[in-house]
């Protein structure tokens, strides 16, 4: 049944309305699922459309709906066909021009133009390394934007009449209820583009002018990186490896959404997963499948929360546990209890700095003595955009820039700024680089935590001789890999740290 989607000739609208769905194909014959009450004329039309002998299987209404959803959800993007279509037709704007002026395209005789447009959007997003696709209806237009290197870029603004058919098509692919438009829905699409497996997380949300759709593109090839591929400097990498080698305690990775925390955690788990350990993860949602690791997805509607599931998996004799995020006191308490029994725990916390993670846990209600005894390290990270090497422009560093990055005033130094060209889609940037600060809990810092020292005091001790985020980003600026503006966009300046958040 793997090639059904590519060979089918019944449109989704026809199959849904007529009560017919292709179940399988063997040679020249097609097995057709028939819903109760189908008119003979519909079967004649299906035979004419398929052009092959038919075998019939009668289905009740629930079974028919399930088969219909699964069959059309399997019509994933085929990289070869989409690439050929894009090459032959030019760009996404030409795909929109091909769409006929009808009120509801999915209810028309041919939904191929909408399918081609959705396929083209996803294919172009993958080609341009986008992490998300946003489809947002406004009063008169429909905005389609890609998030590329952490920044949203508008790629299309067609008429709003395309909102309903595009949303319906995405819902069909993600096996969502296309009739339900009042509540948010979440689904998933598995695609294959040019031999690469792409997972697409789909989320819909009702808004003033219709449903908005956000698609998160998950490419396993980009996620499963080794620690030495994350862009850590040699000193931070060596210290982080030493943390992972410790037999117990909690290690946290912190940073804003989209800063690469999950990728770092997966890389750390790949180091710990040596075949002799029982490694278990709790995730919401599971972004990538990891070989040899037991992964559990949270399901809050049935009570499968981080805290409840963490208590359950502790009875499965884990050697290493990764908790997707510590969001509340209950989860934090269970994680620290497990770590105190002599096993390592990895997790994330949403804070702006490494020391801020300790303050956040204290604010949640974790006692300072528990933190001091159990915490091993906090890794804070950001992603800065890499300057496009085809168009970056050199300029002499100003006095303020030299002072900011610790360069002597009399010393001549060249920095680079973005320009924009065809290679980088006029953004001036192409790709991203990791920036890190690693807070190690040594004896002195452990004492400061017990004494409930301020976040500033923790930072002053932890980064007296080690790189903070801003200092770690300096290496990229001085090497011409990124711009001063990009570092200031992502990281706080040193003098601002002393005043707290």
């Amino acid at each position: 049944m793997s090639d059904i989607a590519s060979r089918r000739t019944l449109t989704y609208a026809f199959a849904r309305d007529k009560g017919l769905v292709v179940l399988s194909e063997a040679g020249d014959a097609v097995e057709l699922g028939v819903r109760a009450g189908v008119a003979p004329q519909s079967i004649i039309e299906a035979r004419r459309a398929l052009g092959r002998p038919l075998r019939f299987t009668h289905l009740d209404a629930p079974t028919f709906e399930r088969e219909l959803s699964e069959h059309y959800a399997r019509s994933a993007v085929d990289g070869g066909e989409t690439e050929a279509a894009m090459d032959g037709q030019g760009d996404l704007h030409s795909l929109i021009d091909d769409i006929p002026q009808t009120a509801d395209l999915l209810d028309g005789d041919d939904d191929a133009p909408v399918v081609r447009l959705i396929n083209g959007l996803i294919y172009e997003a993958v080609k341009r390394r986008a992490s998300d696709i946003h489809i947002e209806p406004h009063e008169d237009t429909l905005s389609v934007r890609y998030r590329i290197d952490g920044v949203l870029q508008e790629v299309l603004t067609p008429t709003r009449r395309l909102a309903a058919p595009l949303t319906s098509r995405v819902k069909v692919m993600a096996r969502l209820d296309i009739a339900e438009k009042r509540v948010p829905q979440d689904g998933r699409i598995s695609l294959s583009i040019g031999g690469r497996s792409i997972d697409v997380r789909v989320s819909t949300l009702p808004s003033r002018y219709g449903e908005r759709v956000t698609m998160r593109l998950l490419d396993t090839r980009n996620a499963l990186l080794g620690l030495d591929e994350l862009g850590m400097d040699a000193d931070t990498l060596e210290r982080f490896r030493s943390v992972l080698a410790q037999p117990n305690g909690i290690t946290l990775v912190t940073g804003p959404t989209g800063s690469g925390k999950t990728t770092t955690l997966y890389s750390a788990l790949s180091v710990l997963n040596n075949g002799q350990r029982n490694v278990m993860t709790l995730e919401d949602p599971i972004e990538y499948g990891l070989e040899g690791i037991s992964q559990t997805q949270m399901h809050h509607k049935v009570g499968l929360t981080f805290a409840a599931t963490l208590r359950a998996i502790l009875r499965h004799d884990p050697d290493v546990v990764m908790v997707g995020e510590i969001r509340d006191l209950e989860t934090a308490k269970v994680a620290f209890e497990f770590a105190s029994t002599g096993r390592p725990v990895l997790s994330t916390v949403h804070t702006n700095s490494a020391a801020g993670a300790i303050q956040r846990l204290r604010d949640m209600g974790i006692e300072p003595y528990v933190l001091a005894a159990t915490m091993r390290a906090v890794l804070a990270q950001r992603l800065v955009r890499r300057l496009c090497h085809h168009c970056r422009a050199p300029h002499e560093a100003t006095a303020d820039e030299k002072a900011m990055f610790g360069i002597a005033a009399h010393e001549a130094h060249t920095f680079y700024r973005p320009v924009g060209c065809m290679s980088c889609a006029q953004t001036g940037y192409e790709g991203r680089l990791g920036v890190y600060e690693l807070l190690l809990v040594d004896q002195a810092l452990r004492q400061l935590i017990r004494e409930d020292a301020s976040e500033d005091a923790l930072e002053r001790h932890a980064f007296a001789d080690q790189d903070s985020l801003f200092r770690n980003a300096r290496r990229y600026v001085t090497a011409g890999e990124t711009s001063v503006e990009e570092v200031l966009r992502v990281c706080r300046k040193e003098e601002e740290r002393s005043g707290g958040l």
Side-chain angles (χ1 to χ4, degrees), residues 239-441:
R239 292 188 299 136
F240 190 55
R241 284 189 182 277
S242 70
V243 170
L244 296 178
Q246 296 191 33
N248 53 45
I250 286 186
T251 301
L252 295 178
V253 180
T254 184
T257 300
S259 59
K261 299 187 298 295
T262 301
T263 300
T264 299
L265 283 176
Y266 282 177
S267 300
L269 286 176
S270 68
V271 172
L272 296 172
N273 184 30
N274 58 6
Q276 300 175 341
R277 290 189 175 108
N278 179 18
V279 182
M280 306 185 74
T281 74
L282 312 179
E283 303 176 58
D284 186 21
I286 296 172
E287 294 197 4
Y288 302 97
L290 300 174
E291 189 69 30
I293 291 177
S294 173
Q295 297 172 270
T296 302
Q297 174 145 343
M298 301 303 93
H299 196 334
H300 298 280
K301 289 183 180 178
V302 297
L304 205 61
T305 62
F306 279 120
T309 313
L310 184 54
R311 284 196 177 91
I313 71 168
L314 296 187
R315 293 189 286 274
H316 289 260
D317 188 30
D319 295 301
V320 180
V321 170
M322 190 270 272
V323 182
E325 183 183 349
I326 294 180
R327 298 176 180 172
D328 51 47
L329 177 59
E330 187 180 10
T331 306
K333 280 185 173 179
V334 179
F336 275 86
E337 286 172 8
F338 175 71
S340 66
T341 64
R343 306 292 168 85
V345 175
L346 304 177
S347 189
T348 69
V349 177
H350 279 290
T351 58
N352 290 330
S353 65
I358 295 176
Q359 184 61 48
R360 173 68 56 84
L361 290 167
R362 288 193 296 205
D363 292 343
M364 281 184 185
I366 299 297
E367 296 292 342
Y369 72 89
V370 176
L371 277 172
T374 315
M375 186 71 70
R376 292 294 172 263
V378 185
L379 180 74
Q381 66 181 74
R382 300 288 190 277
L383 294 174
V384 296
R385 291 181 292 172
R386 185 201 304 266
L387 283 168
C388 174
H389 283 243
H390 295 95
C391 64
R392 62 178 183 171
H395 70 94
E396 181 63 30
T398 66
D400 287 343
E401 289 172 342
K402 289 178 184 178
M404 193 185 305
F405 290 97
I407 299 172
H410 64 274
E411 184 180 334
H413 205 288
T414 301
F415 285 172
Y416 289 83
R417 59 167 60 99
V419 176
C421 65
M422 292 293 291
S423 177
C424 60
Q426 305 300 328
T427 63
Y429 297 95
E430 194 169 26
R432 288 194 284 182
L433 302 160
V435 179
Y436 303 90
E437 67 178 21
L438 180 60
L439 180 150
L440 291 180
V441 182

Side-chain angles (χ1 to χ4, degrees), residues 32-319:
L32 202 64
V34 181
R35 188 177 57 197
V38 169
Q41 183 63 32
S42 299
I43 296 176
I44 294 172
E45 290 180 37
R47 169 65 187 271
R48 184 165 53 246
L50 292 169
R52 282 172 282 174
L54 303 179
R55 297 197 310 269
F56 302 104
T57 300
H58 294 283
L59 306 174
D60 56 29
T63 305
F64 173 81
E65 293 297 331
R66 185 177 68 252
E67 291 290 345
L68 181 73
S69 174
E70 290 183 359
H71 174 76
Y72 285 91
R74 282 194 298 268
S75 57
V77 177
D78 178 3
E81 290 184 3
T82 305
E83 186 171 3
M86 295 290 287
D87 290 344
Q89 299 178 48
D91 56 20
L92 294 172
H93 294 279
S94 63
L95 293 180
I96 289 181
D97 293 339
D98 286 345
I99 296 179
Q101 302 292 320
T102 58
D104 188 343
L105 298 175
L106 278 185
D107 286 335
D109 293 332
D110 183 12
D111 57 8
V114 179
V115 174
R116 282 200 302 270
L117 179 56
I118 287 292
N119 290 359
L121 283 172
I122 297 175
Y123 172 76
E124 187 71 9
V126 172
K127 191 169 74 171
R128 293 173 62 174
R129 302 173 294 101
S131 61
D132 301 84
I133 303 172
H134 292 249
I135 302 175
E136 308 165 54
H138 301 296
E139 186 172 5
D140 299 313
T141 62
L142 180 68
S143 172
V144 179
R145 298 190 289 174
Y146 292 160
R147 187 176 294 280
I148 302 174
D149 295 333
V151 178
L152 282 173
Q153 300 176 20
E154 194 158 69
V155 293
L156 287 176
T157 54
T159 174
R160 189 164 75 91
R161 72 178 185 82
L162 287 179
L166 285 180
T167 301
S168 295
R169 173 61 189 171
V170 172
K171 282 182 163 185
V172 168
M173 295 173 71
R175 307 184 187 187
L176 302 179
D177 184 354
I178 63 172
E180 180 56 79
K181 302 178 181 179
R182 301 164 299 172
V183 297
Q185 297 187 66
D186 295 295
R188 220 176 178 114
I189 307 170
S190 294
L191 308 173
S192 177
I193 299 181
R196 295 165 58 184
S197 294
I198 307 291
D199 244 9
V200 183
R201 280 211 321 257
V202 177
S203 182
T204 68
L205 182 71
S207 66
R208 181 180 180 184
Y209 296 108
E211 289 181 286
R212 63 168 291 158
V213 177
T214 301
M215 293 184 277
R216 167 67 59 90
L217 308 179
L218 304 171
D219 187 349
T220 306
R221 200 170 61 179
N222 293 338
L224 305 181
L225 302 175
L227 278 182
D228 53 353
E229 299 176 89
L230 296 179
M232 292 184 188
D233 61 281
D235 178 62
T236 302
L237 179 60
E238 182 182 352
R239 292 188 299 136
F240 190 55
R241 284 189 182 277
S242 70
V243 170
L244 296 178
Q246 296 191 33
N248 53 45
I250 286 186
T251 301
L252 295 178
V253 180
T254 184
T257 300
S259 59
K261 299 187 298 295
T262 301
T263 300
T264 299
L265 283 176
Y266 282 177
S267 300
L269 286 176
S270 68
V271 172
L272 296 172
N273 184 30
N274 58 6
Q276 300 175 341
R277 290 189 175 108
N278 179 18
V279 182
M280 306 185 74
T281 74
L282 312 179
E283 303 176 58
D284 186 21
I286 296 172
E287 294 197 4
Y288 302 97
L290 300 174
E291 189 69 30
I293 291 177
S294 173
Q295 297 172 270
T296 302
Q297 174 145 343
M298 301 303 93
H299 196 334
H300 298 280
K301 289 183 180 178
V302 297
L304 205 61
T305 62
F306 279 120
T309 313
L310 184 54
R311 284 196 177 91
I313 71 168
L314 296 187
R315 293 189 286 274
H316 289 260
D317 188 30
D319 295 301

